[in-house]
């Protein structure tokens, strides 16, 4: 995590916040695309590095704790506050005052980097930047990338110059919330350019030393959230003829539990913690089981893989889930305790698998990061 004192001037500034892994990964994806394009120098900064240590801990951890321990409450709050508040409303002014009081180093960040264009993959820096622009304290163009299919009201600020959204429906929703259509582009959700390349599943299984069997990739997300152990338990009775690859993310306790459970199963199971080659594991899979996070699902789409969606968090993940089901690129695994039966049945339903692959191809936008990077460079006027 870069801090203000480590930064040097750069034409482009990419701002994220480490409250949910997707915001950071989106910024990193655009950074990778900028490097591929030989774009001018840029800095990638966690906005929370500009905040007080207490605010930083609470901002990130409170969200994780809420969605893990009280997801229904999070869903209620998400829906309740999906209403755009006037900038001068009491709620908006109170939130802005609180965030500004805890982000005293943010203006120092802007002064040190002196960017000619800024892009945000989280709404916290958007709020601070929109306030500066509204008060005539900043003239720099500010772009925003919405990292889920539905642009929640948290993303809507009056002085953001341009929005990049996932879908046409997302663009319409954002326009209904008050953003002029000419300030909206349907780019897709930026993912690392590495996901645009593909290797046949059998070839990648051989490269990774995996059995040549129908392969299911079970993902928990970067923070290690999801019913992985329950799904593994469902395979206790027999082999099923499948191979499982499990990624437990940064949750060491979950990884250990999955390793212990894997030892008791009759079919081959490979367990990982956090990995840097998730693109290869996706290539090796015939079906990907995942929570419907915006970044992960778009990575899977770019690989042209069918998805089985589990345990969506009410709110943004539920909306992502609904979109993927409506587009026919995924199925919903409701009963994780009977995952083995459902996954085996789906894998042996060749027409259904072919249809999901075709639909994934149809709605995938693997070049989203490159498209956003080009738009950002254009904003420099070079």
């Amino acid at each position: 995590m870069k801090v203000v004192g480590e930064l040097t001037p750069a034409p482009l500034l990419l701002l994220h916040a480490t409250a949910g892994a997707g915001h950071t990964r989106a910024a990193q994806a655009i950074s990778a695309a900028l490097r591929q394009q030989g774009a001018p120098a840029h800095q990638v900064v966690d906005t929370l590095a500009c905040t007080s240590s207490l605010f930083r801990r609470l901002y990130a951890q409170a969200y994780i704790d809420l969605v893990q321990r009280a997801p229904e409450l999070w869903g209620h709050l998400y829906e309740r506050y999906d209403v755009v508040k006037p900038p001068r409303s009491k709620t908006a002014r109170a939130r802005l005052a609180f965030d500004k009081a805890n982000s005293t180093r943010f203006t120092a960040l802007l002064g040190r980097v002196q960017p000619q264009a800024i892009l945000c993959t989280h709404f916290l820096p958007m709020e601070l930047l929109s306030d500066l622009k509204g008060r005539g304290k900043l003239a720099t163009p500010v772009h925003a990338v919405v990292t889920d299919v539905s642009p929640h009201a948290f993303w809507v600020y009056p002085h953001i110059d341009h929005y990049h959204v996932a879908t046409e429906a997302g663009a319409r929703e954002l326009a209904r919330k008050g953003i002029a259509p000419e300030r909206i582009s349907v780019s897709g959700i930026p993912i690392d350019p590495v996901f645009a390349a593909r290797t046949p599943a059998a070839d990648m299984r051989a490269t990774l030393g995996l059995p040549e069997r129908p392969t299911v990739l079970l993902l928990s997300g970067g923070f290690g959230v999801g019913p992985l152990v329950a799904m593994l338990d469902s395979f206790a009775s027999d082999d099923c003829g499948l191979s499982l690859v499990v990624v437990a993310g940064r949750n060491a306790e979950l990884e250990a539990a999955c390793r212990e459970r894997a030892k008791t199963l009759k079919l081959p199971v490979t367990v990982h913690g956090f990995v840097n080659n998730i693109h290869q594991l996706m290539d090796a899979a015939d079906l990907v089981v995942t929570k419907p996070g915006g970044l992960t699902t778009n990575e899977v789409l770019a690989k042209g893989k069918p998805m089985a969606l589990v345990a969506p968090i009410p709110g943004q993940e539920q909306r992502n889930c609904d979109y993927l089901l409506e587009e026919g690129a995924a199925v919903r695994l409701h009963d994780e305790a009977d995952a083995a039966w459902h996954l085996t049945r789906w894998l042996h339903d060749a027409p259904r698998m072919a249809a999901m692959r075709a639909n994934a191809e149809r709605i995938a936008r693997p070049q989203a990061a490159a498209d956003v990077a080009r738009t950002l460079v254009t904003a420099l006027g070079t």
Side-chain angles (χ1 to χ4, degrees):
M1 178 174 64
K2 289 186 177 180
V3 298
V4 174
E6 298 172 344
L7 298 172
T8 56
L12 298 173
L13 176 62
L14 310 184
L15 294 171
H16 64 95
T18 48
H23 305 290
T24 300
R25 283 159 55 201
Q28 292 169 339
I30 297 165
S31 174
L34 287 167
R35 291 194 300 272
Q36 279 192 349
Q37 295 175 16
H42 64 277
Q43 297 277 8
V44 181
V45 180
D46 179 4
T47 308
L48 291 175
C50 302
T51 66
S52 66
S53 58
L54 178 60
F55 180 88
R56 185 160 59 247
R57 287 196 302 272
L58 290 176
Y59 198 94
Q61 195 58 45
Y63 168 73
I64 297 169
D65 289 345
L66 190 57
V67 299
Q68 285 186 300
R69 300 176 184 177
E72 294 81 8
L73 175 58
W74 166 255
H76 170 74
L77 295 173
Y78 185 92
E79 298 298 337
R80 178 179 177 182
Y81 289 102
D82 192 16
V83 177
V84 178
K85 300 287 186 180
R88 300 306 301 167
S89 71
K90 289 183 178 179
T91 301
R93 284 188 288 123
R95 185 181 65 237
L96 175 62
F98 179 76
D99 289 347
K100 286 172 66 175
N102 285 281
S103 307
T104 54
R105 288 180 287 169
F106 188 72
T107 53
L109 160 70
L110 299 178
R112 188 171 292 273
V113 179
Q114 300 175 25
Q116 298 168 39
I118 301 171
L119 182 133
C120 305
T121 63
H122 192 275
F123 41 82
L124 173 60
M126 292 169 58
E127 178 185 37
L128 300 173
L129 292 166
S130 182
D131 173 63
L132 289 171
K133 289 173 73 71
R135 293 189 290 115
K137 302 293 185 180
L138 181 72
T140 306
V142 176
H143 287 229
V145 167
V146 181
T147 54
D148 291 293
V149 297
S150 178
H152 191 276
F154 287 153
W155 292 88
V156 179
Y157 293 98
H159 303 294
I160 302 302
D161 296 274
H162 202 84
Y163 282 84
H164 303 266
V165 299
T167 67
E168 294 287 349
R172 289 177 59 84
E173 182 179 354
L174 194 57
R176 292 198 308 274
K177 289 176 175 174
I179 303 301
E182 61 270 19
R183 292 164 55 198
I184 306 169
S185 296
V186 180
S187 62
I189 296 174
I191 57 175
D192 192 288
V194 72
F195 290 94
R198 297 180 187 175
T199 300
D203 293 348
M204 185 55 72
R205 288 196 280 265
T207 298
L208 298 176
L210 297 173
E212 184 41 49
R213 288 178 164 214
T215 300
V216 179
L217 176 61
L218 304 173
L219 302 178
S220 66
F223 290 113
V225 179
L228 290 183
V229 175
M231 288 190 286
L232 288 177
D233 280 341
S234 73
F235 287 91
S237 60
D238 57 50
D239 186 313
C240 298
L242 306 182
S243 171
L244 304 181
V245 178
V246 179
V247 180
R250 299 185 187 277
N251 188 331
E253 183 178 346
L254 178 61
E255 179 187 354
C258 289
R259 290 189 184 279
E260 286 302 310
R261 194 70 82 252
K263 293 175 184 177
T264 69
L265 302 182
K266 299 175 183 178
L267 76 170
V269 183
T270 304
V271 178
H272 300 279
F274 181 81
V275 298
N276 291 314
N277 69 329
I278 193 68
H279 57 290
Q280 293 180 315
L281 298 178
M282 288 181 182
D283 276 330
D286 298 293
L287 178 64
V288 179
V289 182
T290 181
K291 289 174 61 61
L295 269 289
T296 298
T297 53
N298 277 268
E299 291 164 355
V300 179
L301 290 176
K303 289 294 186 180
K305 301 291 182 176
M307 275 178 276
L309 304 175
V310 295
I313 298 168
Q316 74 274 25
E317 285 194 357
Q318 185 59 57
R319 294 186 186 184
N320 294 341
C321 179
D322 292 343
Y323 165 72
L324 293 165
L325 295 176
E326 289 165 4
E327 295 293 342
V331 288
R332 173 74 165 89
L333 179 58
H334 291 279
D335 186 1
E336 296 90 359
D338 203 18
W341 186 82
H342 289 289
L343 296 174
T344 303
R345 178 171 61 93
W346 290 329
L347 276 167
H348 287 98
D349 185 345
R352 170 176 265 178
M353 295 291 288
M356 285 198 289
R357 284 192 293 269
N359 287 325
E361 296 269 8
R362 176 176 55 82
I363 64 175
R365 292 179 179 267
Q367 301 301 324
D371 292 343
V372 172
R374 279 190 287 271
T375 303
L376 193 58
V377 170
T378 301
L380 295 175
T382 59

